Amino acid sequence: MAGRVRKAVFPVAGLGTRFLPATKVIAKEMLPVVDKPLIQYAVEEAAAAGIEYFIFITGRGKSVLVDHFDHAPELETLLGSRGREEELESLLASMPEPGRVAAVRQQEPLGLGHAVWCARANLGNEPFAVLLPDELLMSDPPCLRQLINVHEKVGGNVVAVTQVPQEQTNRYGILDVESDDGKVAKAKGMVEKPDPASAPSRLANIGRYILDPAVFHHLDKQIKGVGGEIQLTDAIDATTDTIPFHGVRFEGDRFDCGDKVGFLTANIAFALKRPEMADRVREAVGALLA
Ligand code: G1P
């Protein structure tokens, strides 16, 4: 029913003020969870879901994110000459094929909707994915794959959701639900960061989207929403008249790495999944808590 999703957008122009001073000169998406930068988790999640083209929406000082997916000749030569094949292979394996990474500059921080709109010419008239790298999602199958599986059946706009406590609705895009089978919710709208008192539900969008290019009809109008920003949520909401909209409950573990505690928790959780360090990490955390 729905066309294949080949392209993904990674909005990475944000300044990361919540992690200062760490993010004074480095991009927040380069902060590592164990030994891999956040952006690489998002790109790997997309690649594992079958995405072929990776479009970064960058800003000033963010070129390093594009460099991260390019050759590092000195490093590769050094690792090769020292016989460190495993590290070399892992560096090379993380690089998309030539021509599959593109960067588009968002010249002004006008909001997530504006960031995605900046990629309109690269996206053309086909469904595409958006991944917010701050949200680190640990699951098998990867979150984006879970979305694509549903999108193949229902088409339109699809977002990953999770149920949040009522008092947290003002941190998320919240779905206005029409029907819900416990896994997939059909929605008639979405509201960006509603007050807990007026939130239409507790189903929050967690930063993974499959979008129909129809959202650009709204984004073209450059209408400002909550916080004076051009919101992606508003574009999806405005499109529900003509395009079906579904939320898919994410099955897996979610870490909000835009938050310091979420980021630290992600580091521990991912370290505990690594056989070569899990025991030592468990011991170290146990000793701290003792
Ligand atoms: C963005 C979106 C919001 C979504 C959230 C998920 O908000 O606008 O709809 O629920 O990401 O993390 P932000 O956290 O960038 O303000």
Side-chain angles (χ1 to χ4, degrees), residues 112 132 135 171-173 192-193 205-207 209 231 233:
L112 180 59
L132 308 187
E135 295 272 3
R171 298 190 203 165
Y172 300 95
E192 183 68 8
K193 303 193 172 76
N205 134 34
I206 54 167
Y209 309 73
Q231 298 288 355
T233 291

Side-chain angles (χ1 to χ4, degrees), residues 56-99:
F56 294 166
I57 312 300
T58 68
R60 274 159 39 76
K62 295 284 188 140
S63 313
V64 66
L65 288 164
V66 184
D67 290 345
H68 185 74
F69 295 93
D70 196 356
H71 281 288
E74 306 88 339
L75 209 49
E76 289 166 15
T77 309
L78 182 89
L79 292 173
S81 71
R82 295 195 177 164
R84 288 162 65 176
E85 297 301 329
E86 214 174 293
E87 283 144 299
L88 180 58
E89 269 166 33
S90 113
L91 273 194
L92 296 177
S94 67
M95 268 175 40
E97 283 171 36

Side-chain angles (χ1 to χ4, degrees), residues 18 28 112-113 132 134-135 160 169-174 190-193 204-209 229-233 254 256 258:
R18 278 192 277 175
K28 66 172 172 170
L112 180 59
L132 308 187
D134 274 4
E135 295 272 3
T169 59
N170 56 6
R171 298 190 203 165
Y172 300 95
I174 300 290
M190 180 158 59
V191 187
E192 183 68 8
K193 303 193 172 76
N205 134 34
I206 54 167
R208 295 294 183 276
Y209 309 73
E229 296 188 347
I230 298 169
Q231 298 288 355
L232 188 57
T233 291
R254 163 180 175 249
D256 175 6

